[in-house]
Amino acid sequence: MKNTLAEIASRTGFSKTTISRVLSGQSDKYRISKKTCEAIVKEAKKCHYTKHLSAQRLREIESSTIGLLLPSLANLFFAELADVIIEELNKAGYFTVLMDTMENEDKFRESVQTLASRRVRGIIAVPCDGGIPVLEEIDANGTPVVLIDRSHNESALSYVTTNNYQGSKKATEELIQKGHRRIACLQGKDSSTNRDRVAGYRDAMQAAGLGEQIMTVGNEFTIQNGYLETKLLLAMDPSTRPSAIFSLSNMIALGAIKAINEAGLNIPEDIALLTFDNNTYLDFMQPSLTRIAQATGDMGILAVKLLLDRINHNTLTKTTLILTPTLIKGDSV
């Protein structure tokens, strides 16, 4: 056991005394945090020394863990969402295992199975379209799952999302009211969120008699996508190129801004820009961006409440919560 303690101490940075107390089931007595216990237990498992940990204590630690699956922490929207969820779970006494699925279906399914093998108490996930079946299977086997941001009406899983259709329609109508007719929509990766936003844009254009002007390009919620697609749009003949761009995420908008600046054009004098998603830094840009804001904080809090309700009361009824976005006017339109 002595050699074990030294090995785990060298890998985790915790003292042998702390490790010994955790592995002997005395963490509560010495007020050792759940986060510290989790790290020590994880390393003990790697060293095949979980036999020194009481089965009861192991179950207690594992039962206080929630899995959180997000598609890209490079996307500021998801990073902000993670902050809210982790804070709320921490308040409720839960430790969060955060996994970035990188918008990859294979990685998503692998991450779900990893969380299941760790016997997490529940999962909050922004799903890939192809990842719904594995989440439904996990939920049916007793590990509650709540979806967030991306909704799936055909699934029995509860979810919290934004009315993306309404927000996108409102954004497009704002541009039309400002006199724009050639409005390009820079979309992201195919998902329920993206499809709803594109539908809102298209319906607003059709209602205004601008169906022939509909222009939807792009395929990723990334800065690179926004940059490359905007470069192509600006290379069009000035008489036909768009007078306004509606980007479906703030990451796409950042790429669009870079391309517009490189072309020597000014926002909004030469081309208008409106984006979906909100972040404080958008107010400090020149010009500040007009955008559709999601209630990120409310979304995260509600997802945690739904999950804890499932855990604490074994609630099986599907709950769907769709939050209303708001238009924040800046100086970019």
Side-chain angles (χ1 to χ4, degrees):
M1 182 67 175
K2 184 177 180 180
N3 291 335
T4 304
L5 295 181
E7 184 178 357
I8 297 175
S10 67
R11 295 186 182 185
T12 64
F14 297 113
S15 69
K16 288 190 287 184
T17 299
T18 297
I19 294 168
S20 177
R21 288 170 176 172
V22 170
L23 296 181
S24 60
Q26 300 182 70
S27 56
D28 288 339
K29 177 180 177 181
Y30 292 98
R31 297 182 180 180
I32 300 172
S33 72
K34 292 179 180 178
K35 184 175 182 180
T36 297
C37 291
E38 176 71 14
I40 291 172
V41 170
K42 179 179 180 180
E43 195 58 47
K45 285 182 177 180
K46 289 182 180 179
C47 300
H48 304 291
Y49 283 106
T50 52
K51 62 182 179 181
H52 298 293
L53 183 64
S54 69
Q56 180 182 357
R57 185 57 187 153
L58 179 59
R59 287 194 298 270
E60 288 174 354
I61 293 171
E62 290 176 330
S63 67
S64 66
T65 303
I66 301 294
L68 175 58
L69 299 173
L70 299 176
S72 173
L73 289 176
N75 188 317
L76 296 177
F77 170 74
F78 293 123
E80 184 178 342
L81 198 59
D83 282 344
V84 174
I85 292 172
I86 292 171
E87 181 179 359
E88 289 303 305
L89 288 172
N90 183 61
K91 290 177 184 177
Y94 287 91
F95 175 74
T96 307
V97 176
L98 173 60
M99 305 190 78
D100 188 334
T101 60
M102 304 176 187
E103 288 283 16
N104 181 283
E105 289 189 10
D106 290 336
K107 177 68 174 175
F108 181 86
R109 284 189 286 269
E110 177 185 324
S111 298
V112 173
Q113 295 298 342
T114 297
L115 292 175
S117 69
R118 296 185 64 168
R119 295 189 291 181
V120 295
R121 193 70 184 277
I123 295 175
I124 296 176
V126 178
C128 299
D129 281 356
I132 294 298
V134 69
L135 289 176
E136 291 176 327
E137 181 180 353
I138 294 295
D139 186 81
N141 288 334
T143 301
V145 176
V146 170
L147 307 182
I148 189 168
D149 182 51
R150 297 176 183 174
S151 60
H152 291 265
N153 294 328
E154 67 280 8
S155 173
L157 299 174
S158 295
Y159 64 80
V160 184
T161 188
T162 296
N163 192 327
N164 290 285
Y165 174 86
Q166 181 188 65
S168 186
K169 190 168 183 288
K170 183 183 297 185
T172 309
E173 289 171 346
E174 174 72 9
L175 290 170
I176 293 172
Q177 289 172 6
K178 295 296 184 180
H180 295 283
R181 296 295 178 266
R182 298 191 304 276
I183 303 170
C185 174
L186 299 188
Q187 66 175 336
K189 183 178 178 65
D190 184 40
S191 62
S192 61
T193 297
N194 189 78
R195 290 191 291 271
D196 287 347
R197 292 178 188 178
V198 170
Y201 158 76
R202 295 181 65 88
D203 285 356
M205 292 289 282
Q206 291 281 7
L210 301 173
E212 294 184 357
Q213 299 294 339
I214 290 174
M215 189 185 309
T216 307
V217 298
N219 58 6
E220 294 287 345
F221 287 108
T222 62
I223 292 175
Q224 182 184 46
N225 176 51
Y227 174 73
L228 296 178
E229 294 298 343
T230 302
K231 293 284 282 188
L232 291 172
L233 291 174
L234 297 180
M236 296 172 61
D237 187 284
S239 63
T240 58
R241 77 184 183 196
S243 64
I245 290 175
F246 173 34
S247 68
L248 298 193
S249 81
N250 52 10
M251 303 301 288
I252 295 174
L254 291 177
I257 290 171
K258 184 175 187 293
I260 292 169
N261 289 338
E262 287 182 356
L265 301 176
N266 295 314
I267 303 172
E269 291 82 4
D270 299 314
I271 188 167
L273 178 62
L274 193 154
T275 187
F276 210 109
D277 286 337
N278 182 35
N279 200 287
T280 304
Y281 75 84
L282 297 177
D283 284 324
F284 295 91
M285 301 185 73
Q286 293 296 327
S288 60
L289 291 192
T290 297
R291 67 266 194 186
I292 297 295
Q294 302 190 70
T296 310
D298 292 343
M299 193 184 301
I301 292 171
L302 288 171
V304 171
K305 286 183 178 296
L306 285 179
L307 185 66
L308 296 184
D309 189 52
R310 286 286 315 278
I311 291 172
N312 297 327
H313 305 293
N314 197 29
T315 305
L316 298 178
T317 304
K318 176 180 178 179
T319 302
T320 61
L321 299 175
I322 303 176
L323 307 184
T324 301
T326 56
L327 174 68
I328 298 177
K329 295 188 178 183
D331 300 316
S332 63
V333 175

mmCIF file of all heavy atoms in Angstrom, residues 146-176:
data_model
loop_
_atom_site.group_PDB
_atom_site.id
_atom_site.type_symbol
_atom_site.label_atom_id
_atom_site.label_comp_id
_atom_site.label_asym_id
_atom_site.label_seq_id
_atom_site.Cartn_x
_atom_site.Cartn_y
_atom_site.Cartn_z
ATOM 1 N N VAL A 146 -30.853 14.701 -20.365
ATOM 2 C CA VAL A 146 -31.565 15.908 -20.785
ATOM 3 C C VAL A 146 -30.773 16.548 -21.924
ATOM 4 O O VAL A 146 -29.557 16.717 -21.827
ATOM 5 C CB VAL A 146 -31.726 16.910 -19.622
ATOM 6 C CG1 VAL A 146 -32.249 18.252 -20.137
ATOM 7 C CG2 VAL A 146 -32.657 16.350 -18.555
ATOM 8 N N LEU A 147 -31.459 16.876 -23.005
ATOM 9 C CA LEU A 147 -30.827 17.547 -24.140
ATOM 10 C C LEU A 147 -30.889 19.050 -23.944
ATOM 11 O O LEU A 147 -31.825 19.577 -23.338
ATOM 12 C CB LEU A 147 -31.534 17.176 -25.441
ATOM 13 C CG LEU A 147 -31.706 15.690 -25.749
ATOM 14 C CD1 LEU A 147 -32.395 15.511 -27.097
ATOM 15 C CD2 LEU A 147 -30.374 14.965 -25.711
ATOM 16 N N ILE A 148 -29.900 19.740 -24.493
ATOM 17 C CA ILE A 148 -29.876 21.195 -24.406
ATOM 18 C C ILE A 148 -29.424 21.776 -25.743
ATOM 19 O O ILE A 148 -28.611 21.172 -26.457
ATOM 20 C CB ILE A 148 -28.944 21.661 -23.262
ATOM 21 C CG1 ILE A 148 -29.086 23.171 -23.013
ATOM 22 C CG2 ILE A 148 -27.496 21.295 -23.535
ATOM 23 C CD1 ILE A 148 -28.435 23.640 -21.731
ATOM 24 N N ASP A 149 -29.983 22.908 -26.119
ATOM 25 C CA ASP A 149 -29.682 23.665 -27.345
ATOM 26 C C ASP A 149 -30.276 23.025 -28.589
ATOM 27 O O ASP A 149 -31.014 23.676 -29.324
ATOM 28 C CB ASP A 149 -28.179 23.864 -27.530
ATOM 29 C CG ASP A 149 -27.858 24.679 -28.778
ATOM 30 O OD1 ASP A 149 -28.450 25.771 -28.932
ATOM 31 O OD2 ASP A 149 -27.042 24.227 -29.609
ATOM 32 N N ARG A 150 -29.975 21.759 -28.847
ATOM 33 C CA ARG A 150 -30.491 21.097 -30.033
ATOM 34 C C ARG A 150 -31.671 20.202 -29.649
ATOM 35 O O ARG A 150 -31.523 19.314 -28.819
ATOM 36 C CB ARG A 150 -29.386 20.279 -30.710
ATOM 37 C CG ARG A 150 -28.257 21.174 -31.209
ATOM 38 C CD ARG A 150 -27.113 20.392 -31.794
ATOM 39 N NE ARG A 150 -26.030 21.292 -32.184
ATOM 40 C CZ ARG A 150 -24.844 20.894 -32.632
ATOM 41 N NH1 ARG A 150 -24.585 19.597 -32.747
ATOM 42 N NH2 ARG A 150 -23.924 21.777 -32.956
ATOM 43 N N SER A 151 -32.805 20.455 -30.273
ATOM 44 C CA SER A 151 -34.031 19.737 -29.916
ATOM 45 C C SER A 151 -34.332 18.637 -30.927
ATOM 46 O O SER A 151 -33.934 18.712 -32.091
ATOM 47 C CB SER A 151 -35.214 20.719 -29.863
ATOM 48 O OG SER A 151 -35.407 21.334 -31.128
ATOM 49 N N HIS A 152 -35.052 17.625 -30.452
ATOM 50 C CA HIS A 152 -35.451 16.518 -31.315
ATOM 51 C C HIS A 152 -36.865 16.113 -30.929
ATOM 52 O O HIS A 152 -37.071 15.361 -29.973
ATOM 53 C CB HIS A 152 -34.474 15.343 -31.176
ATOM 54 C CG HIS A 152 -33.125 15.646 -31.738
ATOM 55 N ND1 HIS A 152 -32.759 15.293 -33.012
ATOM 56 C CD2 HIS A 152 -32.075 16.317 -31.220
ATOM 57 C CE1 HIS A 152 -31.524 15.706 -33.246
ATOM 58 N NE2 HIS A 152 -31.087 16.326 -32.171
ATOM 59 N N ASN A 153 -37.832 16.621 -31.681
ATOM 60 C CA ASN A 153 -39.238 16.391 -31.345
ATOM 61 C C ASN A 153 -39.615 14.921 -31.367
ATOM 62 O O ASN A 153 -40.495 14.483 -30.623
ATOM 63 C CB ASN A 153 -40.138 17.173 -32.313
ATOM 64 C CG ASN A 153 -39.987 18.677 -32.145
ATOM 65 O OD1 ASN A 153 -39.740 19.159 -31.047
ATOM 66 N ND2 ASN A 153 -40.133 19.411 -33.232
ATOM 67 N N GLU A 154 -38.950 14.155 -32.216
ATOM 68 C CA GLU A 154 -39.313 12.747 -32.346
ATOM 69 C C GLU A 154 -38.758 11.893 -31.202
ATOM 70 O O GLU A 154 -39.130 10.733 -31.052
ATOM 71 C CB GLU A 154 -38.813 12.183 -33.682
ATOM 72 C CG GLU A 154 -37.311 12.085 -33.825
ATOM 73 C CD GLU A 154 -36.632 13.401 -34.196
ATOM 74 O OE1 GLU A 154 -37.324 14.440 -34.203
ATOM 75 O OE2 GLU A 154 -35.429 13.378 -34.484
ATOM 76 N N SER A 155 -37.867 12.443 -30.416
ATOM 77 C CA SER A 155 -37.269 11.696 -29.308
ATOM 78 C C SER A 155 -38.104 11.839 -28.039
ATOM 79 O O SER A 155 -38.799 12.839 -27.838
ATOM 80 C CB SER A 155 -35.848 12.201 -29.040
ATOM 81 O OG SER A 155 -35.312 11.618 -27.872
ATOM 82 N N ALA A 156 -38.015 10.852 -27.171
ATOM 83 C CA ALA A 156 -38.732 10.881 -25.896
ATOM 84 C C ALA A 156 -37.958 11.632 -24.824
ATOM 85 O O ALA A 156 -38.438 11.804 -23.701
ATOM 86 C CB ALA A 156 -39.000 9.460 -25.420
ATOM 87 N N LEU A 157 -36.757 12.109 -25.157
ATOM 88 C CA LEU A 157 -35.912 12.801 -24.180
ATOM 89 C C LEU A 157 -36.363 14.253 -23.976
ATOM 90 O O LEU A 157 -36.752 14.934 -24.926
ATOM 91 C CB LEU A 157 -34.458 12.790 -24.643
ATOM 92 C CG LEU A 157 -33.811 11.405 -24.802
ATOM 93 C CD1 LEU A 157 -32.427 11.542 -25.403
ATOM 94 C CD2 LEU A 157 -33.755 10.678 -23.465
ATOM 95 N N SER A 158 -36.284 14.719 -22.749
ATOM 96 C CA SER A 158 -36.614 16.105 -22.442
ATOM 97 C C SER A 158 -35.520 17.021 -22.990
ATOM 98 O O SER A 158 -34.351 16.619 -23.114
ATOM 99 C CB SER A 158 -36.724 16.308 -20.925
ATOM 100 O OG SER A 158 -37.799 15.584 -20.390
ATOM 101 N N TYR A 159 -35.890 18.255 -23.321
ATOM 102 C CA TYR A 159 -34.877 19.185 -23.817
ATOM 103 C C TYR A 159 -35.222 20.640 -23.510
ATOM 104 O O TYR A 159 -36.375 20.994 -23.282
ATOM 105 C CB TYR A 159 -34.651 19.003 -25.323
ATOM 106 C CG TYR A 159 -35.836 19.327 -26.216
ATOM 107 C CD1 TYR A 159 -36.141 20.639 -26.558
ATOM 108 C CD2 TYR A 159 -36.618 18.305 -26.750
ATOM 109 C CE1 TYR A 159 -37.209 20.935 -27.409
ATOM 110 C CE2 TYR A 159 -37.689 18.587 -27.585
ATOM 111 C CZ TYR A 159 -37.972 19.906 -27.916
ATOM 112 O OH TYR A 159 -39.032 20.192 -28.748
ATOM 113 N N VAL A 160 -34.170 21.468 -23.528
ATOM 114 C CA VAL A 160 -34.293 22.919 -23.389
ATOM 115 C C VAL A 160 -33.598 23.539 -24.588
ATOM 116 O O VAL A 160 -32.452 23.191 -24.894
ATOM 117 C CB VAL A 160 -33.627 23.438 -22.100
ATOM 118 C CG1 VAL A 160 -33.874 24.931 -21.943
ATOM 119 C CG2 VAL A 160 -34.126 22.686 -20.881
ATOM 120 N N THR A 161 -34.276 24.448 -25.268
ATOM 121 C CA THR A 161 -33.668 25.068 -26.440
ATOM 122 C C THR A 161 -34.206 26.482 -26.619
ATOM 123 O O THR A 161 -35.061 26.947 -25.862
ATOM 124 C CB THR A 161 -33.943 24.227 -27.706
ATOM 125 O OG1 THR A 161 -33.170 24.760 -28.794
ATOM 126 C CG2 THR A 161 -35.422 24.258 -28.082
ATOM 127 N N THR A 162 -33.696 27.160 -27.620
ATOM 128 C CA THR A 162 -34.165 28.489 -28.015
ATOM 129 C C THR A 162 -35.101 28.352 -29.201
ATOM 130 O O THR A 162 -34.965 27.423 -30.000
ATOM 131 C CB THR A 162 -32.962 29.371 -28.400
ATOM 132 O OG1 THR A 162 -32.124 29.559 -27.254
ATOM 133 C CG2 THR A 162 -33.406 30.741 -28.916
ATOM 134 N N ASN A 163 -36.042 29.281 -29.338
ATOM 135 C CA ASN A 163 -36.874 29.311 -30.534
ATOM 136 C C ASN A 163 -36.020 29.882 -31.665
ATOM 137 O O ASN A 163 -36.068 31.082 -31.963
ATOM 138 C CB ASN A 163 -38.123 30.160 -30.304
ATOM 139 C CG ASN A 163 -39.147 29.976 -31.419
ATOM 140 O OD1 ASN A 163 -38.771 29.766 -32.576
ATOM 141 N ND2 ASN A 163 -40.414 30.070 -31.079
ATOM 142 N N ASN A 164 -35.211 29.011 -32.256
ATOM 143 C CA ASN A 164 -34.260 29.444 -33.283
ATOM 144 C C ASN A 164 -34.954 29.955 -34.537
ATOM 145 O O ASN A 164 -34.467 30.883 -35.193
ATOM 146 C CB ASN A 164 -33.325 28.282 -33.625
ATOM 147 C CG ASN A 164 -32.369 27.962 -32.505
ATOM 148 O OD1 ASN A 164 -31.405 28.690 -32.278
ATOM 149 N ND2 ASN A 164 -32.621 26.875 -31.795
ATOM 150 N N TYR A 165 -36.073 29.358 -34.858
ATOM 151 C CA TYR A 165 -36.845 29.815 -36.025
ATOM 152 C C TYR A 165 -37.299 31.258 -35.819
ATOM 153 O O TYR A 165 -37.113 32.121 -36.687
ATOM 154 C CB TYR A 165 -38.054 28.908 -36.238
ATOM 155 C CG TYR A 165 -38.994 29.383 -37.332
ATOM 156 C CD1 TYR A 165 -38.779 29.055 -38.662
ATOM 157 C CD2 TYR A 165 -40.091 30.195 -37.013
ATOM 158 C CE1 TYR A 165 -39.634 29.508 -39.658
ATOM 159 C CE2 TYR A 165 -40.946 30.645 -38.005
ATOM 160 C CZ TYR A 165 -40.718 30.304 -39.323
ATOM 161 O OH TYR A 165 -41.569 30.775 -40.311
ATOM 162 N N GLN A 166 -37.897 31.534 -34.678
ATOM 163 C CA GLN A 166 -38.393 32.868 -34.383
ATOM 164 C C GLN A 166 -37.265 33.896 -34.380
ATOM 165 O O GLN A 166 -37.394 34.995 -34.923
ATOM 166 C CB GLN A 166 -39.091 32.864 -33.017
ATOM 167 C CG GLN A 166 -39.667 34.214 -32.606
ATOM 168 C CD GLN A 166 -40.157 34.190 -31.171
ATOM 169 O OE1 GLN A 166 -39.373 34.027 -30.234
ATOM 170 N NE2 GLN A 166 -41.466 34.324 -30.992
ATOM 171 N N GLY A 167 -36.140 33.542 -33.768
ATOM 172 C CA GLY A 167 -35.014 34.475 -33.710
ATOM 173 C C GLY A 167 -34.451 34.797 -35.073
ATOM 174 O O GLY A 167 -34.130 35.953 -35.385
ATOM 175 N N SER A 168 -34.322 33.770 -35.907
ATOM 176 C CA SER A 168 -33.787 33.974 -37.251
ATOM 177 C C SER A 168 -34.743 34.792 -38.115
ATOM 178 O O SER A 168 -34.317 35.665 -38.890
ATOM 179 C CB SER A 168 -33.526 32.615 -37.893
ATOM 180 O OG SER A 168 -32.879 32.764 -39.136
ATOM 181 N N LYS A 169 -36.028 34.533 -37.984
ATOM 182 C CA LYS A 169 -37.027 35.291 -38.743
ATOM 183 C C LYS A 169 -36.984 36.769 -38.335
ATOM 184 O O LYS A 169 -37.037 37.667 -39.183
ATOM 185 C CB LYS A 169 -38.412 34.708 -38.493
ATOM 186 C CG LYS A 169 -39.521 35.232 -39.399
ATOM 187 C CD LYS A 169 -40.768 34.363 -39.242
ATOM 188 C CE LYS A 169 -41.873 34.816 -40.201
ATOM 189 N NZ LYS A 169 -42.461 36.098 -39.793
ATOM 190 N N LYS A 170 -36.873 36.997 -37.029
ATOM 191 C CA LYS A 170 -36.805 38.366 -36.516
ATOM 192 C C LYS A 170 -35.557 39.084 -37.028
ATOM 193 O O LYS A 170 -35.604 40.265 -37.401
ATOM 194 C CB LYS A 170 -36.797 38.341 -34.984
ATOM 195 C CG LYS A 170 -36.803 39.702 -34.327
ATOM 196 C CD LYS A 170 -36.721 39.594 -32.807
ATOM 197 C CE LYS A 170 -37.930 38.867 -32.251
ATOM 198 N NZ LYS A 170 -37.915 38.856 -30.750
ATOM 199 N N ALA A 171 -34.443 38.387 -37.092
ATOM 200 C CA ALA A 171 -33.194 38.972 -37.576
ATOM 201 C C ALA A 171 -33.303 39.359 -39.046
ATOM 202 O O ALA A 171 -32.902 40.464 -39.455
ATOM 203 C CB ALA A 171 -32.047 37.977 -37.388
ATOM 204 N N THR A 172 -33.853 38.470 -39.842
ATOM 205 C CA THR A 172 -33.997 38.739 -41.282
ATOM 206 C C THR A 172 -34.967 39.891 -41.520
ATOM 207 O O THR A 172 -34.721 40.757 -42.384
ATOM 208 C CB THR A 172 -34.485 37.476 -42.015
ATOM 209 O OG1 THR A 172 -33.642 36.369 -41.667
ATOM 210 C CG2 THR A 172 -34.450 37.678 -43.519
ATOM 211 N N GLU A 173 -36.045 39.930 -40.764
ATOM 212 C CA GLU A 173 -37.013 41.032 -40.897
ATOM 213 C C GLU A 173 -36.382 42.363 -40.525
ATOM 214 O O GLU A 173 -36.701 43.403 -41.138
ATOM 215 C CB GLU A 173 -38.226 40.756 -40.002
ATOM 216 C CG GLU A 173 -39.091 39.611 -40.518
ATOM 217 C CD GLU A 173 -40.161 39.183 -39.530
ATOM 218 O OE1 GLU A 173 -40.079 39.578 -38.340
ATOM 219 O OE2 GLU A 173 -41.093 38.456 -39.931
ATOM 220 N N GLU A 174 -35.482 42.360 -39.567
ATOM 221 C CA GLU A 174 -34.780 43.595 -39.189
ATOM 222 C C GLU A 174 -33.956 44.125 -40.356
ATOM 223 O O GLU A 174 -33.955 45.331 -40.643
ATOM 224 C CB GLU A 174 -33.881 43.328 -37.982
ATOM 225 C CG GLU A 174 -32.984 44.487 -37.570
ATOM 226 C CD GLU A 174 -33.737 45.641 -36.929
ATOM 227 O OE1 GLU A 174 -34.941 45.498 -36.635
ATOM 228 O OE2 GLU A 174 -33.114 46.704 -36.708
ATOM 229 N N LEU A 175 -33.267 43.220 -41.040
ATOM 230 C CA LEU A 175 -32.464 43.634 -42.194
ATOM 231 C C LEU A 175 -33.346 44.134 -43.327
ATOM 232 O O LEU A 175 -33.031 45.131 -44.000
ATOM 233 C CB LEU A 175 -31.603 42.464 -42.672
ATOM 234 C CG LEU A 175 -30.457 42.053 -41.736
ATOM 235 C CD1 LEU A 175 -29.845 40.735 -42.188
ATOM 236 C CD2 LEU A 175 -29.394 43.150 -41.687
ATOM 237 N N ILE A 176 -34.462 43.471 -43.557
ATOM 238 C CA ILE A 176 -35.386 43.887 -44.622
ATOM 239 C C ILE A 176 -35.972 45.260 -44.312
ATOM 240 O O ILE A 176 -36.080 46.124 -45.200
ATOM 241 C CB ILE A 176 -36.506 42.845 -44.788
ATOM 242 C CG1 ILE A 176 -35.917 41.532 -45.331
ATOM 243 C CG2 ILE A 176 -37.602 43.357 -45.732
ATOM 244 C CD1 ILE A 176 -36.892 40.373 -45.351
#
